Amino acid sequence: MAESSGCQNTIVTSSMPPYPDIFSEDSKITDEIKYDILKRPWTSIHSYDFPVRVISNSTRRAKAKWFLEHTWMKYSKTKDSVYCAPCRFFGPKSGTSKEKTFGVTPVTDWSNITKLIQRHITMKSHETSLSAADDFLDVIEGKTKSVTRQISSHYDKIVTRNRQILGIIIETIIFCGQQNIALRGHKEDKGNFMALLQYRSKDNDLLREHLVSRKLENIQSTNNTTYLSPEIQNEIIEICGEIISDDIVKTCNAAPCFGFMADEATDVATIEQMALCLRFYDPSELRIREEFIGFAECKATTGESLTESFLVNLRAKGVIVNKMRGQGYDGAANMAGKYRGVQARIKEVVPGAVYTHCKAHNLNLSIIHACKEPLIRNVMNTLQEIAFMFDYSAKKLGIFKEHLANDNTANDNMEGRQKLKTLCETRWAARSEALFTFKSAFSTAHAALGELSLQHGDSKAGPYQAAIEKFDFIITLVASEHVLSALVALSCLLQKKECDLFVAADESKVVVRQLNDERNDPEVWNSLYDSAVELAATVNTDPSMPRNRGAQRNRPNAPAQSPSEYWKLNMYLPFVDHLIAELNTRLLTAEPRYVAQKLIPKNIAQLTLAVGDIIFNEYVDDAHVTKDEFRSEIRRWLAKWTGDFDDIPNNLHETLNVINKDLYPGIFQILNVFACMPVSTATAERSFSTMRRVKTYLRNTMKTNRLSGLGLLNIYREKQISADTVLDIFSRKKERKWSLIFQN
């Protein structure tokens, strides 16, 4: 072995330390290096030839037994020195401790090393470093978690606990909203919300502990957070409503265009509420959708104020207003006014938003005006007064039910109904059912009125009985019930969400054609007259007609040779003719945009290139193609649908379901515009039914944001809302006292 007078000799590499050199810069010492130095034993240390060092004129070198007796001591080959590995890695750094030997400063004095070791092992800093090293090894080996991980783990446990408690609170609020259960009672602690939480706490220790601590906090008047207050409820309800409306708005914005429907009504607190609804074609569900997106409070009902409120609220909900291509309202002047109404003002902002008067309202108006015929009006008034008599008196209704139970024919005709139906003040098409029930229970009503008059001394029952015994009442009742029954199905159709203007116009034509055919068919009238004669016979009334007087001006007075002819000329034909005229005027007036219905394959025979040019000119701003490109589409469209087909689309949404928007982009855009034009405002009005169920007399202090959220939850109660999603939004809206978000 070569030897020199220097400090180092040649080293047998096979017996070198198995761990990295401890003398490295701190930035280069990783956890893996620390672990190797602390943990890996130097089993071949006896075969290692330590360098010779001259100290005080004596040659000295490190000894293997030092390292075997003190495993914390590690040798540095590059410096021929020793360190205390725990103090080197985990002890105080330079400038922070008086004891620097073995930790900051390596030891090279082999002559005094025994004393240095004895002093070092008694130092408190050395003990602390040894403990830190043991903890480090346990963490690396997975026996324990690091401090950071322990803190993070503790934080995660807190978050998990908080989220479990708040998740149950959110689920309870969602349940109450979807089922329209009032959250608060006369006292907050006695309401349904707290009762449901108490019930759920029976099987949930965390919730039970939370509710118990809440009671203690109330007793001690502390200010800890419980997330059970009405303010938190309102915030969670609002978030749930936003989740529902945002999902609808997102789908609507993805559609080429949409229609807007709105209506306003006063709630139980005398606050004017607006119902906002959207109509659009959803290709993912292959259907036309009409969706309610919330209530909004309006300050005034002028056209200007409503327009501003509509646009502000639509934009606040994220709706792309410029995509509006249709608007639908009722016929009130502030909504439908030609110059200052909402529809006119919105067209100034979005010129392509064409207004459609609600077809269901138009049908109602047609019936209202037709029913102003004197004989029809008198029957309606009499029927309503008699229905009210039995409806608002338990005693009188009991007498009616007794007679109904003894009248098998009337019982069968009533089809399970147990009382007369009053006339609806707004849904005139539904009056057909009121007429039907009265006609079915005519003999029962007559007998009940007789008993009330004779045995109970009711002063009104006698005149009512006399009024319905007259043949003019009976024949008018039978005829009007038959005529109005033809409109019930149309009224229901116009209120359906998937109904489009093409179907509405087509079915309206069918009803008008049916009424015309029946008007001109003598068999129909003869059948009605015979039914009236049969009904009159049950109360011993003979067919009759008023005397014909030349000076008579207050009733129809066309001359006739028989009662049948008289009632046909003076009651039936005027009523039917008036109704047909109203339907033609209000439901069958063609708008320029209606020409797009000729693109539907069912009407392909009416489509030509010239008609295609008319369609293009009407929809030029929405076609997104040139006129020549659209004519090319028309030629291809004609070729596609000309011929015999077993299954041809016969309405708008079926056509949209099968059209290839890449081959027919112009036609696809035009049909989307036509589809989004509202047929009725029934969706908005249905939402007011929900409003009246949610905001009742006992809940009249409810604010609009809470009303809107609860309304959305109740209307879309089949929609699954994740409590975790609500919780994430809730936790990020502002800084919370509880930790609710897991750290990454």
Side-chain angles (χ1 to χ4, degrees), residues 40 58 377 408 499 542 565 568 694:
R40 187 170 296 178
S58 299
R377 183 186 63 234
N408 293 331
C499 181
D542 296 325
E565 184 182 2
K568 180 178 181 179
V694 172

Side-chain angles (χ1 to χ4, degrees), residues 64-74 83-84 102 113-114 117-118 121 126:
K65 68 175 184 177
W66 300 340
F67 300 97
L68 296 175
E69 292 174 357
H70 307 288
T71 56
W72 47 265
M73 194 162 61
K74 301 294 180 181
Y83 283 92
C84 171
F102 283 108
I113 193 169
T114 304
I117 291 173
Q118 292 300 320
I121 61 178
H126 176 67

